[in-house]
Amino acid sequence: MTNSDLAVDATGLVKRFGDFTAVGGVDLAIEPGEVFGVLGPNGAGKTTTLSMLATLLPIDGGRASIFGVDVASSPHQIRQLVGVTGQYASVDENLTGAENLWLFARLHGRSSKQAKALADDLLGRFGLTEAAGKQIKDYSGGMRRRLDLGASLISSPPLIFLDEPTTGLDPRTRSQMWDTIRDLVANGSTILLTTQYLDEADQLADRIAVIDRGLKVAEGTPSDLKTSVGESSLQLRLSDKSLIEEAALLVKRITGSSPVLTPEAGGLNVPLPDANQAADVLIALRQASLSITSAAVQQPTLDEVFLALTGHDTGQPDAQSDARETESEEARR
Amino acid sequence: MSALMAERSIQAAKQRLTPRPTPRETVSQTITMAWRALKKMRRNPEQFFDVIIQPLLFTAMFSYIFGGAVSGSVKDYLPIVIPGILAQTALTACMATGTQMREDMEKGVFDRFRSLPMSRIAPLAGPMLADVLRYGIAATLTLATGFAMGYRPGGGVLGITLGWLLVIIAGWSMSWIFAWLGTIARSAQAVQGIGMMIMFPLTFLSDAFTPKDTMPGWLQHFVAINPVTLVIHAVRDLINDGNITANVAWALLGCLVIVAIFAPLAIRSYSRKV
C-alpha cells in the first residue's frame, strides 16, 4: 500500500502555544476502514493533534495528509473528507435538534427539502425524534453527543474524528454511544478516536497510540498494549477466613500460579492471564462449597498503563471531572 | 467487507471534492447563517432592546435638551438632530453586532462551522445580514419619534425612504469594523469597550447635534472628514430636502471604503482564529 492510500498519514506533527509544546512530533498512519484510538490523559495533546488534522489549528511542524490530500495546503478539501465530533457538542444551543441538523445540511449544500429529510432521518437514527423540536439547551449530555455525532455524518464523510465521545457520560449512555460508533464502522467509515479510557479504546479500536506530553509513547493493538502493562486480576473475599489456605490451593490448581493472600480479611488476589479463568475459579470455589462475599475483576487502569509506559502516572487524580477545563484550555490557548 | 465499503466511500468522496466554495455556495451559506441569527433573535428578544429604547430615548432627550440652545426651538432643531440620531443609533446597533459576534464565536458551534467545507465569510456575513433588521427598526423608530415630536421633513416619501435606506447601508458597512474587532478582541466586553471608544468620538465629533462652525478650527477639519458626518449630511439632504446630492455619493463612497478595508481584515482574522 502506498502512503496516499492511508486515511491519515502524519509525520512529525508539532504544535506550539508560545513556549509550551502541546504536540512534539507525532506520527500517525491510519488505514482506511480502521478504528484508530489515541489514548492519553488530559493535556497530552490528543485534541490538539485532532484539531491540526481537522484544519482547526495550523500545523507548526511536520506534515499530514488525509486520503492523500495535504492538510496544510488544501484545507477546504480536507473539510469535505472529515467529519468532526468535538469533545463538547458543537451544536447550537438556541436551535432545536431538527433546526441544527437542517442548518448543517444546508451549509453542506443540500436543498431545504433534502436537508429536512436528512435531519428527520438522522434524528430517527440517533433516537432523537421525540426531542426534535426541543432547544439543545434542554438536551441531556448524552443527547447532545448523539446529535453532534449525527451532525458530523450529514455529508457521509469517509473519515470521522471523535474527540472523547463519551467523556462525562453515564455508563448506560456510554454503551449506547459505543453501539452507535460500531454501526459507523460496519458502514465502512474510518474512525480516529481519542479517549482517556483504556476500556473504551479496548472496546472500539483496532489499534491504539498512547500519547503523553505531546509525544507518542506506544502503539499497537489493544491486546499488545495490555500484555505490555500486565494482566487483570480477580479479587475475592471469603465468608470464612479460616478456609483461605484451602481456597488458595484450589485457585493454584486452576490458574497455575499462587494468589496473593490477605488472611486477616479473607482476601485472595488472583492474577488472570486469561479472563476466562475468572469463571473457572468461581465455579471451582462453588463446587468446593467455599462461599465468597465479594468478587471483582480488575483491569489494568490507565494509570497502570501510563506507569508502565512512561514511568510516571497520569498526574490526574480525578480525570473525569477535570476533563472539560484542561483540554479546552489547551485547545484555545 | 467493511474495507471494501470504506474504499467505495473514499472514492466517492474524493470524486466530489471541490477546491473552494463557489460564489453561489457563499451566498446560500450566508443566507443560511442569517436565518440562524434571526432564529436566535426571535428566541432572545432582549437583543432588540438597544434598537428600540435608544431611538425613543435619545431622540426625545437630545431634542428637548439642545433644541432651544442650538436652534432656538425644539421644532427647528429636529431637522438637524434626527439625521444625527439616525447615524448614532446605527453606529450603536452595529457595535452590538460585534459584541454578539464575539460572544457567538466562543460557543462550540463555531468549531463546527470552522470544520465544515463552507465559505469563510458566511459565519460573519450571515449575522450581519440579519442585523440589517435591527438597523431598520432603529431607523424607523427614530423617524417615528421625530414625527411624533413635530418633525415634518420636506423630502417626501421618496427622500425619506432613501434616507432610511442610507442609514441601514451605513449601519451594515460600519458593522464590518465591529465584526473585525469581534474577531481580534479577547472577549465580548473588550469589543464593547473598544467600540465605545470608537463610537463616542465618531458621533460627537461630527455635526450630529451642533453646527460645526462654533467648534475650534482644528476640530472642524476632523469633523469634515468623519465618515459619520458624511452620512449625516447625506441623510439631511435626502430626508429634509429630497435632494440626491454629492454628499450622498460621498457617504456611499465612505461606506464602500470601510467595507473594502474591514471586511477582508475580519475574514482573515476569523480564518486564523483558534
Side-chain angles (χ1 to χ4, degrees):
Chain A
M1 218 176 210
T2 65
N3 276 357
S4 70
D5 288 325
L6 287 172
V8 175
D9 180 16
T11 330
L13 280 186
V14 174
K15 183 74 213 173
R16 292 184 206 90
F17 298 106
D19 292 339
F20 175 71
T21 304
V23 177
V26 167
D27 299 344
L28 289 174
I30 303 174
E31 304 283 344
E34 184 174 45
V35 180
F36 191 90
V38 173
L39 179 69
N42 289 321
K46 305 186 296 289
T47 302
T48 310
T49 306
L50 230 59
S51 299
M52 281 193 281
L53 292 173
T55 75
L56 293 173
L57 282 178
I59 297 172
D60 288 348
R63 49 159 300 280
S65 65
I66 287 173
F67 299 118
V69 179
D70 186 64
V71 174
S73 62
S74 313
H76 191 69
Q77 282 91 327
I78 295 298
R79 292 176 195 130
Q80 293 167 71
L81 292 168
V82 181
V84 184
T85 296
Q87 213 174 120
Y88 319 105
S90 329
V91 286
D92 196 319
E93 296 273 309
N94 289 298
L95 299 182
T96 67
E99 285 167 351
N100 262 293
L101 293 176
W102 183 87
L103 172 78
F104 297 131
R106 286 288 289 147
L107 293 176
H108 271 295
R110 303 301 163 93
S111 73
S112 179
K113 214 172 139 189
Q114 285 174 333
K116 174 92 179 46
L118 191 60
D120 286 346
D121 175 48
L122 284 168
L123 286 166
R125 232 174 104 188
F126 287 90
L128 293 168
T129 305
E130 277 175 36
K134 266 206 250 177
Q135 286 183 48
I136 305 306
K137 55 184 176 200
D138 300 325
Y139 272 37
S140 70
M143 288 159 78
R144 281 170 198 238
R145 296 289 177 98
R146 295 211 300 276
L147 187 75
D148 196 31
L149 185 53
S152 311
L153 302 182
I154 283 170
S155 63
S156 321
L159 177 62
I160 299 167
F161 289 171
L162 299 174
D163 192 11
E164 305 202 8
T166 65
T167 297
L169 295 186
D170 62 73
R172 194 177 65 95
T173 326
R174 169 178 295 185
S175 78
Q176 280 176 354
M177 199 71 185
W178 285 355
D179 288 341
T180 312
I181 295 169
R182 287 193 190 98
D183 284 348
L184 295 179
V185 182
N187 285 321
S189 301
T190 309
I191 292 178
L192 173 54
L193 163 100
T194 72
T195 181
Q196 303 182 36
Y197 310 120
L198 183 60
D199 64 331
E200 181 160 283
D202 190 10
Q203 286 274 339
L204 298 170
D206 302 318
R207 279 194 305 139
I208 299 174
V210 181
I211 290 198
D212 179 47
R213 298 179 184 175
L215 293 169
K216 187 161 77 176
V217 292
E219 185 173 334
T221 64
S223 52
D224 289 348
L225 273 183
K226 275 189 287 187
T227 350
S228 76
V229 296
E231 48 206 22
S232 44
S233 61
L234 176 65
Q235 315 274 348
L236 294 171
R237 197 156 281 201
L238 295 173
S239 331
D240 187 348
K241 293 172 199 164
S242 62
L243 299 172
I244 194 158
E245 291 299 331
E246 197 183 326
L249 275 174
L250 189 67
V251 167
K252 194 181 172 191
R253 236 182 16 241
I254 293 163
T255 65
S257 58
S258 300
V260 180
L261 304 182
T262 39
E264 57 282 2
L268 293 91
N269 185 342
V270 188
L272 290 175
D274 173 8
N276 283 316
Q277 287 177 332
D280 298 340
V281 170
L282 291 174
I283 291 166
L285 289 173
R286 188 60 186 268
Q287 282 168 346
S289 303
L290 290 166
S291 119
I292 52 173
T293 56
S294 73
V297 177
Q298 279 195 334
Q299 290 283 337
T301 63
L302 181 56
D303 268 315
E304 284 164 328
V305 174
F306 267 84
L307 199 59
L309 288 172
T310 66
H312 67 86
D313 64 18
T314 56
Q316 231 86 51
D318 186 2
Q320 206 149 344
S321 68
D322 291 343
R324 307 204 117 220
E325 289 82 14
T326 322
E327 283 241 358
S328 72
E329 263 169 34
E330 174 203 346
R332 287 187 196 288
R333 210 162 349 168
Chain B
M1 191 193 82
S2 94
L4 182 70
M5 288 174 77
E7 189 54 37
R8 237 183 251 158
S9 85
I10 293 159
Q11 288 313 326
K14 283 191 80 167
Q15 270 164 19
R16 286 197 306 263
L17 285 187
T18 56
R20 63 186 62 82
T22 62
R24 220 183 115 191
E25 282 169 347
T26 304
V27 171
S28 143
Q29 286 159 356
T30 301
I31 293 170
T32 306
M33 293 301 283
W35 170 86
R36 168 178 176 266
L38 288 174
K39 276 270 172 202
K40 285 176 63 142
M41 280 186 206
R42 258 181 51 194
R43 294 195 177 136
N44 303 299
E46 65 271 14
Q47 284 188 22
F48 289 111
F49 278 3
D50 61 333
V51 295
I52 292 173
I53 307 289
Q54 196 180 322
L56 302 180
L57 193 69
F58 279 27
T59 311
M61 201 171 72
F62 281 112
S63 306
Y64 289 124
I65 294 175
F66 294 132
V70 177
S71 302
S73 77
V74 171
K75 199 165 175 347
D76 290 336
Y77 184 53
L78 287 173
I80 297 173
V81 79
I82 296 286
I85 291 178
L86 281 172
Q88 190 196 21
T89 43
L91 199 53
T92 327
C94 62
M95 189 171 84
T97 305
T99 318
Q100 269 156 24
M101 197 172 281
R102 172 73 257 181
E103 262 174 19
D104 211 18
M105 264 185 262
E106 312 255 322
K107 291 177 187 153
V109 68
F110 260 78
D111 280 345
R112 180 169 299 284
F113 293 143
R114 295 196 314 116
S115 78
L116 290 181
M118 64 186 282
S119 148
R120 301 286 99 179
I121 195 178
L124 301 178
M128 292 172 61
L129 184 63
D131 270 356
V132 163
L133 177 68
R134 287 161 28 86
Y135 312 143
I137 293 175
T140 309
L141 285 177
T142 306
L143 285 170
T145 315
F147 295 151
M149 290 174 67
Y151 179 39
R152 297 291 175 265
V157 176
L158 184 68
I160 293 173
T161 312
L162 289 178
W164 179 82
L165 266 178
L166 181 63
V167 170
I168 294 172
I169 293 170
W172 179 81
S173 309
M174 289 187 293
S175 70
W176 281 105
I177 304 176
F178 295 92
W180 173 65
L181 281 178
T183 58
I184 56 166
R186 287 202 161 264
S187 67
Q189 283 85 346
V191 179
Q192 187 132 28
I194 304 168
M196 289 285 187
M197 274 163 34
I198 297 175
M199 193 197 75
F200 276 109
L202 280 185
T203 48
F204 286 96
L205 302 183
S206 71
D207 58 1
F209 306 108
T210 46
K212 112 180 147 183
D213 33 290
T214 59
M215 300 175 193
W218 55 269
L219 187 56
Q220 290 191 24
H221 293 300
F222 177 79
V223 169
I225 56 157
N226 182 351
V228 175
T229 311
L230 299 178
V231 171
I232 292 168
H233 287 175
V235 171
R236 280 181 189 151
D237 288 351
L238 288 168
I239 296 188
N240 291 339
D241 310 321
N243 293 332
I244 300 172
T245 57
N247 282 335
V248 179
W250 280 114
L252 288 174
L253 183 69
C255 291
L256 196 69
V257 169
I258 288 176
V259 177
I261 294 174
F262 289 97
L265 283 177
I267 293 159
R268 209 178 61 158
S269 75
Y270 168 74
S271 307
R272 287 186 183 168
K273 193 97 203 154
V274 174

